[in-house]
Amino acid sequence: MTADSQLRRDALAIFRAALDAADPAAAVVRNLKVSYKFQRIFVVGAGKAGATMAKAVERQLGSRITAGLINVKDGHTVKLRRIELNECGHPVPDLRGVEGARRIAAIARDCQAGDLLICLISGGASALMPLPAEGVTLEHKQDITRQLLACGATIHEINAVRKHLSAIKGGQLAQLAAPAEVLSLILSDVVGDNLDVIGSGPTAPDASTYDDAIAVLHKYGIEANIPKRETPKQLSNAKNVIIGSNRQAIDAAQKKARALGYHTLVLATTIEGETRDVARMHAAIAREIVTSNRPARRPACILSGGETTVTLCGNGKGGRNQEFALAAAIDIADAGPIAIFSAGTDGTDGPTDAAGAIAFGSTIRRAKVKGLDPKQHLANNDAYHFFEPLKDLIKTGPTGTNVMDIHVILVDESPAP
């Protein structure tokens, strides 16, 4: 087995350990304790992990569930008995999402005192549960979403705008369900695990204001009309519980890396910023390990998690994790026995069938043999078509979870070149 093959195998094993730790079904079982005082129990929600979470709720509560509806991303489904799944568009919302969100709002309005509304929220919920506020059209929301995604806005900024364009986000779903009790089980996919940002906080008091949303639009030069209205700042009927996060996934990845024999260091689970810049920083750390055995001795594993952003300047195919790997590949070219792995825990990276990609010290050399220009692919945001012929895309299929991204740097103990 070549050094690259071993590094690839180890990186995948470390990533798989992270995914196992972020298993939403197990997290639901650990956190769902429902008394028998409730007359009716309804289950609603949205997100890429919604189907897996809903299945776990059915196993726990069975016939106690009166009805339910979860909006999920296309293809992210399982077989359920009592909770309906509604497939819809992501990351740009579509009419199927609007219809599902309208039905979710109707379920919440039907709740009465003595009822329980269980809300399941995971990554992607903002786009998957679109219910435009009065005076806002779906087309308007789609246009603003596309512009915010393309300009490199953070998820906190995007969701501040989304909440003020919505009739259901920013605590408004819990408000609709009052006086019924609301229990939200939340799989965090945002840096900082802010309750009002995850899925745009449909059951959490909203810390952002109308003025904050306007400021985001001004910052990125986006012209849009937002109804001048405020979201709930206090809610007395809702309990929000984070049942899984990137930090838990990274902790498991660290444990696996150590079991594989690596000296392991966690950088952070709150990594943000422009993807290329963050990737180059990771590449610099890898080169430092090769030449000086710091900040960790070889064989070394450096882990980080979070969610970077890509400012689109081309029209290629890819996602932030693939772009991360490509930017890193350029900077670790022939630098030594290095692997830099980046993948989304949901199994999808951008509008592609890949979760991410892996780069090696040998990647650029192998690419040139195939006539691939890494800088040209990077400039065109076309990492997918760079890594595809190299067979270095990471394809897991939908994982049933979503706790942001995992970055893995591996440096084996071979001497520096």
Side-chain angles (χ1 to χ4, degrees):
M1 181 181 295
T2 66
D4 283 358
S5 296
Q6 185 61 56
L7 290 173
R8 181 196 304 272
R9 177 177 292 185
D10 289 349
L12 286 169
I14 291 166
F15 182 59
R16 177 55 61 183
L19 293 182
D20 289 345
D23 175 18
V28 166
V29 170
R30 287 194 301 269
N31 290 276
L32 182 60
K33 309 298 179 187
V34 177
S35 74
Y36 281 88
K37 70 176 183 178
F38 297 106
Q39 298 173 15
R40 298 182 300 170
I41 298 175
F42 298 93
V43 183
V44 299
K48 298 175 187 175
T52 309
M53 296 171 77
K55 188 170 185 177
V57 172
E58 283 199 345
R59 286 176 177 168
Q60 288 285 93
L61 300 180
S63 61
R64 295 183 65 195
I65 299 171
T66 302
L69 175 67
I70 310 287
N71 276 6
V72 298
K73 183 177 179 178
D74 283 312
H76 291 235
T77 63
V78 298
K79 289 185 178 180
L80 298 175
R81 293 180 178 274
R82 307 187 71 85
I83 303 170
E84 182 182 347
L85 297 180
N86 177 49
E87 295 182 70
C88 38
H90 179 279
V92 178
D94 62 11
L95 284 170
R96 294 173 299 162
V98 172
E99 179 55 29
R102 186 174 289 117
R103 292 174 60 195
I104 288 169
I107 290 172
R109 286 193 195 95
D110 186 52
C111 290
Q112 303 169 4
D115 291 343
L116 173 66
L117 181 71
I118 296 175
C119 187
L120 307 177
I121 298 296
S122 58
S126 288
L128 290 166
M129 197 161 54
L131 188 58
E134 186 176 349
V136 178
T137 66
L138 174 61
E139 292 73 20
H140 189 47
K141 287 194 70 172
Q142 289 173 327
D143 180 58
I144 293 175
T145 300
R146 289 191 186 99
Q147 291 186 68
L148 288 169
L149 288 169
C151 72
T154 68
I155 190 63
H156 293 71
E157 292 172 327
I158 293 171
N159 285 0
V161 175
R162 280 170 164 165
K163 284 181 282 190
H164 289 85
L165 290 169
S166 174
I168 201 170
K169 299 183 174 77
Q172 295 176 89
L173 180 62
Q175 192 174 57
L176 289 174
E181 291 185 37
V182 176
L183 171 64
S184 285
L185 303 180
I186 301 167
L187 202 63
S188 175
D189 72 325
V190 303
V191 170
D193 299 337
N194 306 84
L195 290 172
D196 64 320
V197 178
I198 305 165
S200 295
T203 61
D206 184 18
S208 72
T209 65
Y210 170 82
D211 289 340
D212 293 332
I214 294 298
V216 171
L217 296 176
H218 286 169
K219 175 181 177 179
Y220 294 104
I222 298 173
E223 295 185 8
N225 293 319
I226 295 182
K228 192 164 185 178
R229 51 191 288 279
E230 274 303 351
T231 46
K233 306 308 176 189
Q234 292 183 339
L235 292 167
S236 60
N237 66 321
K239 180 180 179 182
N240 294 278
V241 182
I242 293 178
I243 64 172
S245 67
N246 187 268
R247 184 173 289 106
Q248 293 174 358
I250 288 290
D251 287 347
Q254 181 181 38
K255 184 177 180 181
K256 181 63 176 180
R258 286 174 173 166
L260 291 171
Y262 289 94
H263 301 105
T264 306
L265 175 68
V266 174
L267 288 182
T269 59
T270 55
I271 298 291
E272 293 181 289
E274 185 68 30
T275 296
R276 302 178 189 196
D277 297 336
V278 177
R280 294 195 68 187
M281 180 270 289
H282 282 67
I285 292 172
R287 295 197 311 271
E288 183 72 17
I289 294 170
V290 170
T291 58
S292 66
N293 256 340
R294 62 185 183 192
R297 290 187 297 112
R298 299 189 303 270
C301 173
I302 307 296
L303 297 166
S304 71
E307 188 166 289
T308 60
T309 53
V310 174
T311 302
L312 293 176
C313 10
N315 59 2
K317 181 179 180 180
R320 61 178 178 265
N321 288 286
Q322 294 159 64
E323 183 145 323
F324 186 105
L326 177 51
I330 294 170
D331 278 17
I332 62 170
D334 292 322
I338 300 168
I340 295 185
F341 173 106
S342 183
T345 53
D346 61 350
T348 56
D349 184 37
T352 76
D353 61 351
I358 185 168
F360 302 95
S362 63
T363 293
I364 301 303
R365 189 177 349 114
R366 290 189 292 118
K368 289 180 178 178
V369 172
K370 293 182 176 291
L372 299 168
D373 183 337
K375 292 184 178 179
Q376 182 178 350
H377 278 269
L378 185 61
N380 195 36
N381 302 117
D382 196 28
Y384 186 96
H385 293 121
F386 177 85
F387 285 110
E388 186 178 36
L390 297 175
K391 302 187 184 306
D392 285 337
L393 291 171
I394 304 301
K395 295 185 178 183
T396 62
T399 62
T401 191
N402 186 16
V403 290
M404 299 188 288
D405 302 332
I406 302 289
H407 314 299
V408 183
I409 301 172
L410 296 180
V411 183
D412 83 8
E413 54 191 340
S414 302

